[in-house]
Amino acid sequence: MSEMFDAVDALVASRSALPSAEERKRLRVAHGLTLDDVAGALKVRRATVSAWESTKKPTEPRGPEREAYARLLKQLAELYPAPVPATFTGAPAPAEAPTLSTGPAPEAAVMTAPENTQTPAPVAAAPAAASRPASTTRTTSTSRRPGARKAAPAGTPAGGADPRFENGPLAVLDVDDDGKVLAYCTGGLVLDVPAKSLPSLVDWTLREAKLGQPKLSGPGKDADPLIVLTEAALERYGLPATLTEEERLAGRLPEGHKVIKQLVRAEWKLTKRGFGPWARIYRPATGSERACVQLCIPSWNALDTRHWGEAGQLAPAELARVLGVYASRVMTPRGSTAVTGLELMTALHPPTRASEPDADGKRHSEHNPGSLGKDAIDPMNWPPCEVPDGHPVLKDLPRFHVRGPGEKLFEEAYDWARPMTDAECTLRHLVGIDVNMAFAAGANGLNVGLGEATHVKAPAFDPKLPGSWLVDLSHVDLSRVKVGKEWVELDGSLLPSPFTPKGERPEGPAWYATPTVAYAVELGYEVRPLEAWVRRENGRYLDGWYNRLRDAYLATMADLGVDADLAPEDFLAAMNGYKGRDPELAIVVSAVKATVKGGLGKLRERPRGEGWKPGEPWRALSRPTWNPHIRAGVISRTRINLHRKIVKHAAFTGQYPIAILSDCVVYAANGPSPLDFLPYREGKPLPGGFKLGVNPGLVKWEGTQDVLWGEEVRERFNAPELNLARYIKDGTVTDVDNGE
């Protein structure tokens, strides 16, 4: 009977109506298929498929090829319904399918959610197992216009509700086979671009494209539209596909380039960074009206492969999807992920706001409470202990002077390891666990200074007061510490010190951030600071930043099938190969995590060439967000959070870490899974210890290697304390230098 049904289906398909040639091409491109892909599947020549899509003189497939081709087009039409009624040959046009809502929750809903919400609703359900995840859609020539909207695949944000930005935050420009410039937007929209030169492209973007993103906070500014140029688009507008070595080192095109001259003639300006991978083209603002367009040029290495993976090699529609999801959940990229992470802080807490009307009814710019204002901290008035080497406040130090712990605040992540004990060598496996979004979790709820520091002598320690404290913590003995309200005995020789990145016990007074000193008190020891730089003006500046990045991370992981409420076994299973379920969304996850680390790193940005000499100010010092104190506080809290879990785990299980690298911890165990050493009881973890899960601060499996592998590697490099956490993921050992 089934064979008979198959024969009937084939008979119907062999006479079924096919879409127009334009619609055939639209459906193929919408799913990211090339002519070769279709030709290979149908076992025909590439030219044959091209002829079926020819708008001048299309040919009709026949025989079994028509049956298969009709089946392909039918399935694609279900995935990508036409934005306008399509003309079918020999059949009436079908009714337009309703547009699916796949964008994120409205901003108002996000802003009114409780602050302690841990699991935001995902933008879209995770796709099952698509062999080629769909992205955005190229529309036909009759619908390449602003406002043309299509149902978009899962995880593709649609344009915002704001009519000014109805086509989304960005567009990827490419040139099609017919030589037309097309702008691939988010939500499956494609626009015709009439601009013939770069100045006219900027004009078109600001006047007609309806691109951009609403501001993230009341006193903030709307995001400027982002235009991404493919190599074909670069050629069309007279720009090189790649930079020369000299241009790459300079980070920009030379001032005399013909395109820059075109912009100057059209009275457009470039920022100080010039025309580089992330160029900003603008005219001075008049009142509240901004005229600025940002360019992103992937072939000039705008999308760092360490953070964006292969995003720069994606097709235009797919790249628009990746950047669009990131923009909707984080913000429109403003440069590297580090730059964007810093810009997100400013977007959520702008330094200024409009004042109340004065006697004449005029408003003025004033400091925005809770922000790092323009004049919050004088670059020349930083505590000497908090600034990096070469800062102007250290210009009077002798040349080649090396500051020790008593002169320099040195809060960094862990890089610690120890030899394995005889008992640990009898176990079979080394298992690494990694803290999710560890530094984001360290920023959550952290009280940081927002103004100038006050210098005090012999202060009483206040754990609620952010600052830097000179105190001797060498008396803290990890063999006997408080865990909660009880004193416990531990093997302190198997634990790293919580006070130094290398895990070494301090030898005398040193500078520490508030979370580090507060942890010494928590362990049950008295502290007596010798002096301190404290900040009376303070607040939880990073809370909004953390919440937005956390929500972006969790929503994207949920799209990839990793939910926040999974049981430990289900979580480990869901994490197994999650990146392969939708490689494009996996890129977004990587970029979100890089935004956290990079943004925090930018708080203490060092000089970047430009002829700088030690003792001279550098450009980053003029930013309100140049704040090494905040960076130190986040790193301090992140390291302390990890040590607290390690101590509670040791007190309960008697197990101690072998190695720690930043947010990765390695334990010896009899089994290869984290569940072989994490003390779960009836699915519940040790309170205050390690817990498997996707939320920031919880842990995931990082990798497992044999104990024999670890011993062999350390013996081979004659490094008994080689940090195995660095290589636990895949076992490949690199960067070994004198045992470090």
Side-chain angles (χ1 to χ4, degrees):
M1 184 66 70
S2 61
E3 293 181 0
M4 188 180 299
F5 286 163
D6 291 342
V8 170
D9 291 343
L11 186 62
V12 171
S14 66
R15 298 292 187 272
S16 61
L18 295 178
S20 66
E22 282 186 332
E23 180 67 1
R24 298 171 194 175
K25 183 176 181 179
R26 183 189 73 82
L27 291 172
R28 172 179 62 79
V29 174
H31 202 58
L33 299 175
T34 65
L35 292 172
D36 290 327
D37 291 336
V38 177
L42 302 181
K43 294 181 171 54
V44 297
R45 295 185 302 115
R46 182 181 187 277
T48 302
V49 180
S50 180
W52 294 345
E53 297 180 355
S54 173
T55 56
K56 296 181 180 179
K57 192 176 181 181
T59 60
E60 293 293 310
R62 297 181 180 180
E65 290 84 7
R66 182 185 181 90
E67 173 189 344
Y69 192 45
R71 184 182 182 88
L72 171 66
L73 295 175
K74 179 181 178 181
Q75 293 183 23
L76 293 179
E78 292 174 354
L79 289 173
Y80 313 103
V84 294
T87 304
F88 279 67
T89 57
E96 183 178 1
T99 302
L100 301 178
S101 176
T102 59
E107 185 69 20
V110 176
M111 296 302 290
T112 57
E115 287 188 1
N116 60 352
T117 301
Q118 291 297 314
T119 312
V123 169
S131 58
R132 189 186 187 96
S135 55
T136 50
T137 304
R138 178 183 294 182
T139 57
T140 60
S141 59
T142 57
S143 57
R144 291 191 193 118
R145 65 182 187 280
R149 188 65 57 190
K150 281 187 47 57
T156 304
D162 193 320
R164 298 173 300 160
F165 312 126
E166 65 177 277
N167 295 328
L170 55 91
V172 180
L173 265 60
D174 195 26
V175 181
D176 70 3
D177 297 338
D178 299 324
K180 294 182 179 178
V181 180
L182 302 178
Y184 293 78
C185 306
T186 59
L189 172 70
V190 178
L191 308 175
D192 276 321
V193 181
K196 304 298 183 184
S197 67
L198 195 63
S200 61
L201 172 63
V202 176
D203 280 321
W204 173 84
T205 301
L206 294 172
R207 297 175 187 275
E208 301 180 40
K210 295 186 177 182
L211 296 173
Q213 191 175 37
K215 58 188 177 183
L216 296 179
S217 66
K221 300 175 182 178
D222 297 326
D224 298 319
L226 175 64
I227 297 295
V228 185
L229 299 176
T230 64
E231 292 189 27
L234 290 171
E235 182 180 358
R236 171 59 58 91
Y237 292 114
L239 293 164
T242 58
L243 298 177
T244 66
E245 182 65 17
E246 183 179 355
E247 292 167 347
R248 186 186 64 79
L249 293 175
R252 63 180 71 189
L253 290 178
E255 295 297 325
H257 193 278
K258 62 179 182 180
V259 171
I260 297 180
K261 292 180 178 179
Q262 291 175 3
L263 292 171
V264 172
R265 285 196 296 269
E267 299 183 341
W268 288 106
K269 296 180 179 293
L270 292 166
T271 57
K272 291 182 179 180
R273 74 172 69 175
F275 203 119
W278 290 94
R280 297 186 68 80
I281 304 172
Y282 73 100
R283 287 190 179 122
T286 55
S288 61
E289 294 296 322
R290 288 173 58 83
C292 182
V293 173
Q294 177 148 335
L295 302 183
C296 168
I297 305 177
S299 64
W300 294 6
N301 297 319
L303 301 175
D304 192 326
T305 55
R306 293 172 299 175
H307 310 140
W308 290 100
E310 300 301 319
Q313 306 300 318
L314 293 175
E318 295 168 342
L319 180 55
R321 181 195 181 209
V322 168
L323 295 177
V325 172
Y326 179 89
S328 68
R329 294 176 176 175
V330 179
M331 69 180 297
T332 303
R334 295 288 304 272
S336 67
T337 50
V339 169
T340 304
L342 198 67
E343 290 289 339
L344 180 61
M345 296 179 196
T346 302
L348 294 169
H349 289 287
T352 59
R353 68 177 183 181
S355 67
E356 294 297 324
D358 60 15
D360 298 326
K362 295 183 179 181
R363 296 180 183 269
H364 306 276
S365 177
E366 66 177 15
H367 172 64
N368 182 27
S371 73
L372 295 171
K374 287 185 177 180
D375 302 318
I377 302 176
D378 186 331
M380 304 305 293
N381 199 31
W382 275 96
C385 63
E386 292 182 350
V387 298
D389 294 338
H391 190 278
V393 302
L394 304 175
K395 63 181 180 180
D396 294 331
L397 285 179
R399 191 179 182 186
F400 305 123
H401 175 74
V402 178
R403 293 185 294 162
E407 300 173 279
K408 179 180 179 181
L409 177 69
F410 192 65
E411 294 283 8
E412 299 294 341
Y414 267 129
D415 185 356
W416 169 87
R418 63 168 175 83
M420 283 186 276
T421 65
D422 292 342
E424 288 165 342
C425 289
T426 64
L427 302 177
R428 298 181 59 189
H429 300 285
L430 297 175
V431 184
I433 52 176
D434 181 79
V435 181
N436 295 315
M437 299 270 283
F439 295 99
N444 182 29
L446 179 66
N447 200 32
V448 302
L450 302 176
E452 299 273 0
T454 301
H455 186 236
V456 290
K457 289 283 190 178
F461 175 67
D462 183 352
K464 296 181 180 179
L465 194 59
S468 300
W469 310 79
L470 181 63
V471 58
D472 188 351
L473 299 180
S474 60
H475 63 290
V476 178
D477 184 4
L478 296 180
S479 298
R480 186 173 184 271
V481 297
K482 265 190 175 181
V483 177
K485 296 182 179 181
E486 298 182 358
W487 287 91
V488 298
E489 304 289 337
L490 300 172
D491 188 342
S493 66
L494 301 180
L495 285 170
S497 168
F499 309 126
T500 62
K502 289 292 184 180
E504 301 163 343
R505 188 167 180 167
E507 297 180 352
W511 286 99
Y512 303 101
T514 298
T516 303
V517 184
Y519 186 57
V521 176
E522 180 185 327
L523 292 176
Y525 290 85
E526 183 182 10
V527 297
R528 295 180 180 178
L530 303 176
E531 59 179 294
W533 291 88
V534 297
R535 289 169 169 82
R536 311 292 182 188
E537 182 186 351
N538 52 68
R540 293 167 60 161
Y541 174 74
L542 294 174
D543 274 11
W545 182 81
Y546 162 78
N547 288 334
R548 188 158 180 88
L549 289 165
R550 175 205 63 195
D551 290 354
Y553 174 72
L554 291 182
T556 311
M557 290 299 291
D559 286 346
L560 289 165
V562 186
D563 295 311
D565 56 355
L566 293 174
E569 297 83 356
D570 296 333
F571 169 71
L572 291 174
M575 287 293 293
N576 186 23
Y578 76 93
K579 294 181 180 180
R581 294 178 197 133
D582 191 327
E584 293 170 19
L585 289 184
I587 292 174
V588 177
V589 171
S590 173
V592 170
K593 292 193 290 186
T595 303
V596 172
K597 290 187 177 181
L600 293 172
K602 277 282 184 180
L603 290 169
R604 198 191 66 164
E605 184 175 354
R606 302 297 302 275
R608 306 181 66 181
E610 302 175 343
W612 174 82
K613 295 180 180 179
E616 296 179 350
W618 58 92
R619 186 186 302 179
L621 296 185
S622 63
R623 290 196 316 249
T625 48
W626 192 86
N627 197 310
H629 150 72
I630 294 180
R631 173 187 176 273
V634 172
I635 294 176
S636 164
R637 193 161 184 247
T638 302
R639 193 182 68 247
I640 294 307
N641 285 346
L642 183 59
H643 196 274
R644 183 182 294 112
K645 289 181 171 64
I646 289 170
V647 166
K648 290 193 175 182
H649 184 87
F652 187 80
T653 67
Q655 298 169 338
Y656 296 84
I658 301 295
I660 310 173
L661 182 67
S662 187
D663 48 11
C664 176
V665 187
V666 176
Y667 282 91
N670 265 326
S673 168
L675 290 175
D676 290 315
F677 71 92
L678 293 182
Y680 273 84
R681 288 184 176 179
E682 298 179 355
K684 295 182 179 180
L686 172 68
F690 295 109
K691 178 182 178 181
L692 290 166
V694 71
N695 278 294
L698 306 188
V699 300
K700 63 180 183 295
W701 175 64
E702 178 70 5
T704 298
Q705 303 296 330
D706 295 337
V707 167
L708 292 177
W709 164 85
E711 288 295 274
E712 187 275 330
V713 166
R714 285 177 164 178
E715 183 178 345
R716 188 196 332 159
F717 293 101
N718 192 27
E721 296 185 4
L722 179 71
N723 195 332
L724 299 176
R726 192 184 305 276
Y727 317 109
I728 195 69
K729 190 165 189 175
D730 61 9
T732 302
V733 181
T734 57
D735 302 327
V736 175
D737 182 16
N738 295 327
E740 294 295 328

